[in-house]
Amino acid sequence: EVDNKIIAVPTKDPRFVDIKSLADLPEHFTKEIQNFFETYKVLQKKEVVVQGFEDVARAHKELEDTRAAYAAEAK
């Protein structure tokens, strides 16, 4: 079962003013995110496989696809 995630930062928060893409995040931060998603369903006895991270364009496409699927379902 695919369950894509999007990493987002608050645009008005000065701590994230320089974060525009995944490449702008510290390497250790992305490792922490990956570790979280690899382990957050352990108590449910579900295995999660993180297949990597993609760029901003892919996140926008995911949002567009999700909106379109929701609109089609709402009809």
Side-chain angles (χ1 to χ4, degrees):
E1 175 179 334
V2 175
D3 187 14
N4 295 327
K5 306 290 187 223
I6 294 177
I7 299 170
V9 297
T11 58
K12 304 282 185 198
D13 189 324
R15 294 174 296 170
F16 299 104
V17 70
D18 294 325
I19 306 298
K20 305 294 183 211
S21 73
L22 190 63
D24 297 331
L25 292 172
E27 181 181 349
H28 188 76
F29 188 77
T30 54
K31 288 180 181 179
E32 288 176 342
I33 292 169
Q34 180 167 340
N35 179 261
F36 171 80
F37 284 112
E38 289 172 338
T39 59
Y40 83 122
K41 290 193 176 183
V42 167
L43 295 176
Q44 298 173 15
K45 301 194 184 319
K46 293 183 179 181
E47 180 183 5
V48 175
V49 177
V50 176
Q51 296 179 339
F53 296 90
E54 297 191 36
D55 61 11
V56 172
R58 178 66 178 97
H60 285 266
K61 182 175 182 339
E62 185 68 27
L63 289 170
E64 291 169 14
D65 292 349
T66 302
R67 283 187 192 120
Y70 179 78
E73 191 175 298
K75 289 183 179 181

